[in-house]
Amino acid sequence: MKTIIAPSILSCDFSKVGEEIRRIDLCGADWIHIDVMDGHFVPNITFGAPVMKFFRSYSEKFYDVHLMISDPLFYVKDFAAAGADGITFHVECESDIDKTIDEIKKCGKKCALSLKPGTPAEAVFPYLDRLYMVLVMTVEPGFGGQKFMADMMPKIEKIKAEIDRRGLDVIIQVDGGINKDTAVTVKKAGASSLVAGSAVFGADDPAAAIEELRNA
Ligand code: DX5
Ligand code: ZN
């Protein structure tokens, strides 16, 4: 399976975010990963849908929106209207999980669930057949540039085994501390979509960095 590389714009220069999205698209990004933080679910604040809607015109690629917010259900329609293609929310959030999945699908968007490092694999099992992707966090969500948690690999393997056992078409994404070395580790465990912030935007040659992640 071809690896999907999703650069996280959290590490871009936000004074020219549109140009940064266009640049990373031209550098070969498969998806554009957009981190939304509310200062409540995680100890950091980024932006909401009223800001995100201005990003849309800079790339035709898949907008992979990662909601690190306490009440995703309340905001699904806004992010769908702002140009999300896929919406990922956290299984640890305060919204009703089933209703949030329904709402995302009702908006015609792809739905994924994410797990923080402390959450066991089994937490997403009841929802697997309604998802296109599971995002296994390999750092505590909230900030870019943190150290990769290699001890998340058994969780990826467990989710992958359950997906295969049930014959489902669900991919596994990883987010946090991904670089050309850790990419090898996560792919071996079963991940096929890789989010990378600092490893791409911090590289002298982002196109080469994306290619390196893809071929790791
Ligand atoms: C962290 C975000 C990530 C972050 C990854 O909470 O979800 O997407 O941007 O950054 P790096 O790749 O630098 O760890
Ligand atoms: Zn993210």
Side-chain angles (χ1 to χ4, degrees):
M1 193 200 296
K2 192 172 166 279
T3 306
I4 298 161
I5 307 301
S8 162
I9 61 162
L10 191 61
S11 300
C12 83
D13 178 348
F14 270 95
S15 68
K16 45 176 182 175
V17 59
E19 287 164 46
E20 290 280 81
I21 290 173
R22 188 176 285 142
R23 178 168 74 102
I24 221 66
D25 173 334
L26 294 172
C27 283
D30 297 298
W31 295 356
I32 308 296
H33 185 81
I34 299 175
D35 288 303
V36 177
M37 306 184 188
D38 66 354
H40 186 255
F41 185 77
V42 289
N44 197 8
I45 302 174
T46 54
F47 46 77
V51 173
M52 201 204 107
K53 73 167 190 273
F54 292 103
F55 302 172
R56 189 62 262 191
S57 61
Y58 291 91
S59 170
E60 302 270 284
K61 300 243 164 105
F62 186 91
Y63 276 30
D64 169 34
V65 179
H66 178 194
L67 298 181
M68 287 160 276
I69 65 178
S70 294
D71 190 7
L73 178 54
F74 189 79
Y75 295 99
V76 164
K77 278 199 189 82
D78 292 349
F79 284 100
D85 293 302
I87 297 180
T88 302
F89 69 103
H90 273 261
V91 73
E92 308 88 356
C93 75
E94 289 165 16
S95 303
D96 183 281
I97 305 293
D98 287 302
K99 283 188 190 153
T100 308
I101 294 173
D102 287 345
E103 183 76 357
I104 292 171
K105 296 195 164 204
K106 231 192 286 166
C107 290
K109 308 300 174 186
K110 294 186 130 193
C111 178
L113 264 175
S114 179
L115 311 92
K116 288 190 192 183
T119 305
E122 291 77 8
V124 295
F125 287 2
Y127 312 104
L128 274 183
D129 58 344
R130 302 161 66 204
L131 307 174
Y132 82 104
M133 181 171 85
V134 172
L135 165 54
V136 176
M137 292 302 301
T138 40
V139 297
E140 280 300 338
F143 301 91
Q146 302 183 77
K147 192 176 174 290
F148 175 75
M149 299 168 78
D151 52 340
M152 292 298 115
M153 297 313 103
K155 192 196 290 191
I156 296 174
E157 286 160 8
K158 215 176 206 182
I159 295 170
K160 178 87 173 94
E162 182 67 9
I163 290 168
D164 291 348
R165 190 185 69 77
R166 287 160 61 178
L168 299 172
D169 189 15
V170 181
I171 62 170
I172 298 180
Q173 183 179 61
V174 286
D175 184 3
I178 301 300
N179 57 39
K180 64 179 187 335
D181 302 317
T182 59
V184 178
T185 310
V186 295
K187 282 188 196 179
K188 227 180 264 166
S192 59
S193 173
L194 276 48
V195 176
S198 31
V200 172
F201 281 97
D204 293 333
D205 184 348
I210 289 171
E211 205 45 29
E212 246 175 0
L213 291 172
R214 195 176 277 127
N215 300 326

Short mmCIF file of all heavy atoms in Angstrom, two decimals, residues 38 40-43 66-70 89-94 113-121 123-124 134-142 149 152 155 159 175:
data_model
loop_
_atom_site.label_atom_id
_atom_site.label_comp_id
_atom_site.label_asym_id
_atom_site.label_seq_id
_atom_site.Cartn_x
_atom_site.Cartn_y
_atom_site.Cartn_z
N ASP A 38 -8.42 23.68 21.04
CA ASP A 38 -9.34 24.63 21.68
C ASP A 38 -8.88 25.15 23.04
O ASP A 38 -9.61 25.87 23.72
CB ASP A 38 -10.73 23.97 21.84
CG ASP A 38 -10.72 22.78 22.80
OD1 ASP A 38 -9.62 22.38 23.28
OD2 ASP A 38 -11.80 22.24 23.09
N HIS A 40 -8.69 23.60 25.68
CA HIS A 40 -9.45 22.92 26.73
C HIS A 40 -9.19 21.43 26.68
O HIS A 40 -8.77 20.81 27.65
CB HIS A 40 -10.95 23.22 26.55
CG HIS A 40 -11.81 22.70 27.65
ND1 HIS A 40 -12.60 21.58 27.50
CD2 HIS A 40 -11.99 23.13 28.92
CE1 HIS A 40 -13.23 21.35 28.65
NE2 HIS A 40 -12.89 22.27 29.52
N PHE A 41 -9.37 20.86 25.48
CA PHE A 41 -9.04 19.44 25.30
C PHE A 41 -7.53 19.24 25.35
O PHE A 41 -7.05 18.21 25.82
CB PHE A 41 -9.60 18.94 23.96
CG PHE A 41 -9.42 17.47 23.74
CD1 PHE A 41 -10.25 16.55 24.38
CD2 PHE A 41 -8.42 16.99 22.91
CE1 PHE A 41 -10.07 15.18 24.20
CE2 PHE A 41 -8.23 15.62 22.72
CZ PHE A 41 -9.06 14.72 23.38
N VAL A 42 -6.80 20.22 24.84
CA VAL A 42 -5.33 20.23 24.90
C VAL A 42 -4.87 21.62 25.37
O VAL A 42 -5.60 22.59 25.17
CB VAL A 42 -4.69 19.92 23.51
CG1 VAL A 42 -4.89 18.47 23.11
CG2 VAL A 42 -5.24 20.85 22.42
N PRO A 43 -3.69 21.69 25.96
CA PRO A 43 -3.24 22.99 26.51
C PRO A 43 -2.60 23.89 25.46
O PRO A 43 -1.48 24.36 25.60
CB PRO A 43 -2.23 22.58 27.58
CG PRO A 43 -1.69 21.27 27.09
CD PRO A 43 -2.77 20.60 26.31
N HIS A 66 -7.77 17.54 12.01
CA HIS A 66 -7.60 16.84 13.28
C HIS A 66 -8.14 17.73 14.40
O HIS A 66 -7.50 18.71 14.78
CB HIS A 66 -6.10 16.53 13.44
CG HIS A 66 -5.73 15.85 14.72
ND1 HIS A 66 -4.43 15.76 15.16
CD2 HIS A 66 -6.49 15.20 15.65
CE1 HIS A 66 -4.41 15.10 16.32
NE2 HIS A 66 -5.64 14.76 16.63
N LEU A 67 -9.32 17.38 14.90
CA LEU A 67 -9.96 18.19 15.93
C LEU A 67 -9.53 17.75 17.32
O LEU A 67 -9.93 16.69 17.80
CB LEU A 67 -11.49 18.08 15.82
CG LEU A 67 -12.14 18.57 14.53
CD1 LEU A 67 -13.66 18.40 14.61
CD2 LEU A 67 -11.78 20.03 14.24
N MET A 68 -8.71 18.56 17.98
CA MET A 68 -8.33 18.32 19.38
C MET A 68 -9.16 19.29 20.22
O MET A 68 -8.65 20.27 20.76
CB MET A 68 -6.82 18.54 19.54
CG MET A 68 -6.00 17.41 18.93
SD MET A 68 -4.29 17.89 18.60
CE MET A 68 -4.50 18.67 17.00
N ILE A 69 -10.46 19.02 20.24
CA ILE A 69 -11.40 19.91 20.93
C ILE A 69 -12.37 19.08 21.77
O ILE A 69 -12.63 17.92 21.45
CB ILE A 69 -12.16 20.82 19.91
CG1 ILE A 69 -13.08 20.01 18.99
CG2 ILE A 69 -11.16 21.60 19.06
CD1 ILE A 69 -13.89 20.88 18.01
N SER A 70 -12.90 19.68 22.82
CA SER A 70 -13.74 18.94 23.77
C SER A 70 -15.09 18.55 23.21
O SER A 70 -15.62 17.50 23.53
CB SER A 70 -13.93 19.76 25.05
OG SER A 70 -12.70 19.89 25.70
N PHE A 89 -11.75 13.13 15.06
CA PHE A 89 -11.96 13.64 16.42
C PHE A 89 -11.52 12.59 17.42
O PHE A 89 -11.25 11.44 17.06
CB PHE A 89 -13.42 14.09 16.63
CG PHE A 89 -14.44 12.98 16.66
CD1 PHE A 89 -14.98 12.55 17.88
CD2 PHE A 89 -14.88 12.37 15.50
CE1 PHE A 89 -15.93 11.54 17.92
CE2 PHE A 89 -15.82 11.34 15.54
CZ PHE A 89 -16.35 10.93 16.75
N HIS A 90 -11.42 13.00 18.68
CA HIS A 90 -10.86 12.12 19.70
C HIS A 90 -11.92 11.32 20.43
O HIS A 90 -12.94 11.85 20.84
CB HIS A 90 -10.02 12.93 20.69
CG HIS A 90 -8.61 13.11 20.23
ND1 HIS A 90 -7.57 12.33 20.67
CD2 HIS A 90 -8.09 13.96 19.31
CE1 HIS A 90 -6.45 12.70 20.06
NE2 HIS A 90 -6.74 13.68 19.22
N VAL A 91 -11.60 10.05 20.64
CA VAL A 91 -12.51 9.15 21.36
C VAL A 91 -12.64 9.58 22.83
O VAL A 91 -13.61 9.24 23.50
CB VAL A 91 -12.04 7.68 21.19
CG1 VAL A 91 -10.78 7.38 21.99
CG2 VAL A 91 -13.15 6.69 21.53
N GLU A 92 -11.68 10.40 23.33
CA GLU A 92 -11.72 10.88 24.72
C GLU A 92 -12.53 12.17 24.87
O GLU A 92 -12.60 12.75 25.96
CB GLU A 92 -10.30 11.15 25.24
CG GLU A 92 -9.30 10.03 25.07
CD GLU A 92 -8.58 10.07 23.71
OE1 GLU A 92 -8.92 10.93 22.87
OE2 GLU A 92 -7.70 9.23 23.49
N CYS A 93 -13.15 12.65 23.79
CA CYS A 93 -13.85 13.94 23.85
C CYS A 93 -15.13 13.84 24.67
O CYS A 93 -15.51 12.76 25.12
CB CYS A 93 -14.15 14.43 22.43
SG CYS A 93 -15.52 13.54 21.67
N GLU A 94 -15.81 14.97 24.83
CA GLU A 94 -17.04 14.99 25.65
C GLU A 94 -18.31 14.80 24.83
O GLU A 94 -19.39 14.61 25.40
CB GLU A 94 -17.10 16.32 26.42
CG GLU A 94 -16.06 16.39 27.53
CD GLU A 94 -15.85 17.80 28.08
OE1 GLU A 94 -16.69 18.68 27.83
OE2 GLU A 94 -14.82 18.00 28.74
N LEU A 113 -11.37 8.42 13.96
CA LEU A 113 -11.26 8.60 15.41
C LEU A 113 -9.79 8.54 15.80
O LEU A 113 -9.01 7.79 15.21
CB LEU A 113 -12.02 7.48 16.13
CG LEU A 113 -13.45 7.76 16.59
CD1 LEU A 113 -14.05 6.48 17.17
CD2 LEU A 113 -13.52 8.90 17.61
N SER A 114 -9.43 9.32 16.81
CA SER A 114 -8.06 9.34 17.29
C SER A 114 -7.98 8.94 18.76
O SER A 114 -8.94 9.13 19.51
CB SER A 114 -7.47 10.75 17.11
OG SER A 114 -6.14 10.79 17.59
N LEU A 115 -6.82 8.39 19.15
CA LEU A 115 -6.58 8.00 20.54
C LEU A 115 -5.34 8.70 21.07
O LEU A 115 -4.29 8.71 20.41
CB LEU A 115 -6.34 6.50 20.68
CG LEU A 115 -7.26 5.49 20.04
CD1 LEU A 115 -6.76 5.12 18.66
CD2 LEU A 115 -7.34 4.25 20.90
N LYS A 116 -5.46 9.24 22.28
CA LYS A 116 -4.29 9.79 22.98
C LYS A 116 -3.41 8.62 23.43
O LYS A 116 -3.90 7.49 23.54
CB LYS A 116 -4.75 10.56 24.21
CG LYS A 116 -5.43 11.88 23.96
CD LYS A 116 -5.55 12.54 25.34
CE LYS A 116 -6.46 13.72 25.35
NZ LYS A 116 -6.47 14.35 26.69
N PRO A 117 -2.15 8.89 23.77
CA PRO A 117 -1.26 7.80 24.19
C PRO A 117 -1.79 6.94 25.34
O PRO A 117 -1.56 5.73 25.36
CB PRO A 117 0.03 8.54 24.59
CG PRO A 117 0.03 9.76 23.73
CD PRO A 117 -1.42 10.18 23.63
N GLY A 118 -2.53 7.52 26.27
CA GLY A 118 -2.99 6.75 27.42
C GLY A 118 -4.24 5.92 27.18
O GLY A 118 -4.69 5.19 28.06
N THR A 119 -4.82 6.03 25.99
CA THR A 119 -6.09 5.34 25.70
C THR A 119 -5.82 4.00 25.02
O THR A 119 -5.08 3.94 24.05
CB THR A 119 -6.96 6.24 24.78
OG1 THR A 119 -7.11 7.50 25.42
CG2 THR A 119 -8.32 5.62 24.52
N PRO A 120 -6.45 2.92 25.52
CA PRO A 120 -6.19 1.60 24.94
C PRO A 120 -6.82 1.43 23.55
O PRO A 120 -7.82 2.08 23.23
CB PRO A 120 -6.84 0.64 25.94
CG PRO A 120 -7.87 1.44 26.64
CD PRO A 120 -7.37 2.86 26.66
N ALA A 121 -6.25 0.54 22.77
CA ALA A 121 -6.70 0.23 21.40
C ALA A 121 -8.20 -0.08 21.36
O ALA A 121 -8.92 0.38 20.47
CB ALA A 121 -5.92 -0.98 20.87
N ALA A 123 -10.68 1.02 22.75
CA ALA A 123 -11.62 2.15 22.82
C ALA A 123 -12.25 2.47 21.46
O ALA A 123 -13.37 2.98 21.41
CB ALA A 123 -10.91 3.39 23.36
N VAL A 124 -11.55 2.16 20.37
CA VAL A 124 -12.11 2.47 19.04
C VAL A 124 -12.79 1.26 18.39
O VAL A 124 -13.45 1.42 17.35
CB VAL A 124 -11.06 3.06 18.06
CG1 VAL A 124 -10.55 4.41 18.56
CG2 VAL A 124 -9.91 2.09 17.82
N VAL A 134 -8.09 5.34 11.62
CA VAL A 134 -7.86 5.53 13.05
C VAL A 134 -6.52 6.24 13.20
O VAL A 134 -5.52 5.83 12.59
CB VAL A 134 -7.83 4.18 13.80
CG1 VAL A 134 -7.40 4.37 15.25
CG2 VAL A 134 -9.19 3.49 13.74
N LEU A 135 -6.51 7.32 13.98
CA LEU A 135 -5.27 8.06 14.23
C LEU A 135 -4.73 7.70 15.61
O LEU A 135 -5.36 7.98 16.63
CB LEU A 135 -5.53 9.57 14.13
CG LEU A 135 -4.47 10.52 14.71
CD1 LEU A 135 -3.09 10.25 14.12
CD2 LEU A 135 -4.86 11.97 14.47
N VAL A 136 -3.56 7.05 15.61
CA VAL A 136 -2.90 6.72 16.87
C VAL A 136 -1.86 7.80 17.15
O VAL A 136 -0.88 7.95 16.41
CB VAL A 136 -2.22 5.33 16.78
CG1 VAL A 136 -1.44 5.02 18.07
CG2 VAL A 136 -3.25 4.23 16.51
N MET A 137 -2.10 8.59 18.21
CA MET A 137 -1.14 9.65 18.56
C MET A 137 0.14 9.03 19.11
O MET A 137 0.11 8.16 19.98
CB MET A 137 -1.74 10.58 19.63
CG MET A 137 -2.91 11.43 19.15
SD MET A 137 -2.55 12.51 17.73
CE MET A 137 -1.21 13.53 18.37
N THR A 138 1.28 9.51 18.59
CA THR A 138 2.57 9.02 19.05
C THR A 138 3.29 10.09 19.88
O THR A 138 4.50 9.98 20.13
CB THR A 138 3.43 8.54 17.86
OG1 THR A 138 3.25 9.44 16.76
CG2 THR A 138 2.99 7.16 17.41
N VAL A 139 2.53 11.13 20.29
CA VAL A 139 2.95 12.10 21.32
C VAL A 139 1.65 12.50 22.04
O VAL A 139 0.56 12.22 21.53
CB VAL A 139 3.59 13.39 20.73
CG1 VAL A 139 4.89 13.09 19.98
CG2 VAL A 139 2.61 14.16 19.83
N GLU A 140 1.76 13.18 23.17
CA GLU A 140 0.56 13.78 23.79
C GLU A 140 0.14 14.93 22.88
O GLU A 140 0.96 15.79 22.56
CB GLU A 140 0.88 14.33 25.20
CG GLU A 140 0.93 13.30 26.30
CD GLU A 140 -0.38 12.53 26.51
OE1 GLU A 140 -1.46 13.02 26.12
OE2 GLU A 140 -0.32 11.42 27.07
N PRO A 141 -1.13 14.95 22.44
CA PRO A 141 -1.53 16.02 21.52
C PRO A 141 -1.39 17.41 22.15
O PRO A 141 -1.55 17.56 23.35
CB PRO A 141 -2.99 15.68 21.21
CG PRO A 141 -3.45 14.77 22.29
CD PRO A 141 -2.23 14.04 22.76
N GLY A 142 -1.11 18.38 21.31
CA GLY A 142 -1.04 19.77 21.78
C GLY A 142 0.07 20.58 21.15
O GLY A 142 -0.10 21.77 20.93
N MET A 149 6.87 8.47 20.69
CA MET A 149 6.68 7.44 21.71
C MET A 149 6.64 6.06 21.06
O MET A 149 5.60 5.62 20.56
CB MET A 149 5.38 7.69 22.48
CG MET A 149 5.36 9.03 23.20
SD MET A 149 3.72 9.49 23.82
CE MET A 149 3.61 8.47 25.27
N MET A 152 4.00 3.10 21.57
CA MET A 152 2.65 3.06 20.98
C MET A 152 2.53 1.97 19.90
O MET A 152 1.43 1.70 19.41
CB MET A 152 2.30 4.42 20.35
CG MET A 152 2.12 5.54 21.34
SD MET A 152 0.77 5.21 22.49
CE MET A 152 1.66 5.06 24.02
N LYS A 155 -0.02 -0.83 20.28
CA LYS A 155 -1.40 -0.36 20.09
C LYS A 155 -1.74 -0.35 18.59
O LYS A 155 -2.83 -0.78 18.18
CB LYS A 155 -1.53 1.06 20.67
CG LYS A 155 -2.99 1.51 20.76
CD LYS A 155 -3.12 3.01 20.96
CE LYS A 155 -2.68 3.46 22.33
NZ LYS A 155 -3.05 4.87 22.59
N ILE A 159 -4.70 -2.66 16.78
CA ILE A 159 -5.79 -2.10 15.96
C ILE A 159 -5.73 -2.68 14.56
O ILE A 159 -6.76 -3.07 13.99
CB ILE A 159 -5.72 -0.55 15.95
CG1 ILE A 159 -5.95 0.00 17.36
CG2 ILE A 159 -6.72 0.03 14.96
CD1 ILE A 159 -5.68 1.49 17.53
N ASP A 175 0.70 10.32 14.27
CA ASP A 175 0.91 11.77 14.37
C ASP A 175 1.74 12.07 15.62
O ASP A 175 1.33 11.73 16.73
CB ASP A 175 -0.48 12.44 14.45
CG ASP A 175 -0.43 13.95 14.45
OD1 ASP A 175 0.67 14.53 14.33
OD2 ASP A 175 -1.52 14.56 14.57
#
